[in-house]
Amino acid sequence: MSDHANDTGPMLASPRCGAKTRIGGACRAPAVHGKTRCRMHGGAPGSGAPRANRNARKHGLFSRAAIVERREIRALLGEARRMLEGMK
Ligand SMILES: [Zn+2]
């Protein structure tokens, strides 16, 4: 970082939008504060569903509870595997 008047370091270091562009790369425009997308890719105020909205729910496979459950099952399986390895 320099003490130049036009020090853009902090601005350039801000989180970037990861939306996929038409040529296949990431958007790289600055993400809206507190979001992972820029103002043009769904980060605009008021965009997106409100929290706990279930309008687009189809099967719940990716619900927070289901993801946590799968993570716990995997941890248990890993633990059991390590225990069995220790018995050999
Ligand atoms: Zn973007």
Side-chain angles (χ1 to χ4, degrees):
M1 298 293 154
S2 70
D3 55 352
H4 190 271
N6 296 330
D7 182 9
T8 57
M11 193 171 75
L12 294 173
S14 67
R16 297 285 132 176
C17 172
K20 196 178 109 184
T21 62
R22 283 180 280 187
I23 58 166
C27 166
R28 304 196 330 228
V32 172
H33 189 72
K35 298 191 178 181
T36 60
R37 294 292 181 253
C38 72
R39 63 200 167 86
M40 292 164 286
H41 288 125
S47 75
R51 286 195 76 76
N53 175 322
R54 293 161 62 97
N55 292 352
R57 182 187 166 95
K58 297 224 185 274
H59 41 62
L61 191 63
F62 298 100
S63 68
R64 201 169 299 251
I67 290 169
V68 167
E69 187 183 349
R70 283 196 296 274
R71 184 180 302 140
E72 284 170 358
I73 289 171
R74 275 197 305 275
L76 186 67
L77 283 174
E79 207 172 289
R81 195 170 291 129
R82 279 190 296 280
M83 198 176 82
L84 288 172
E85 285 293 320
M87 286 176 165
K88 278 184 185 172

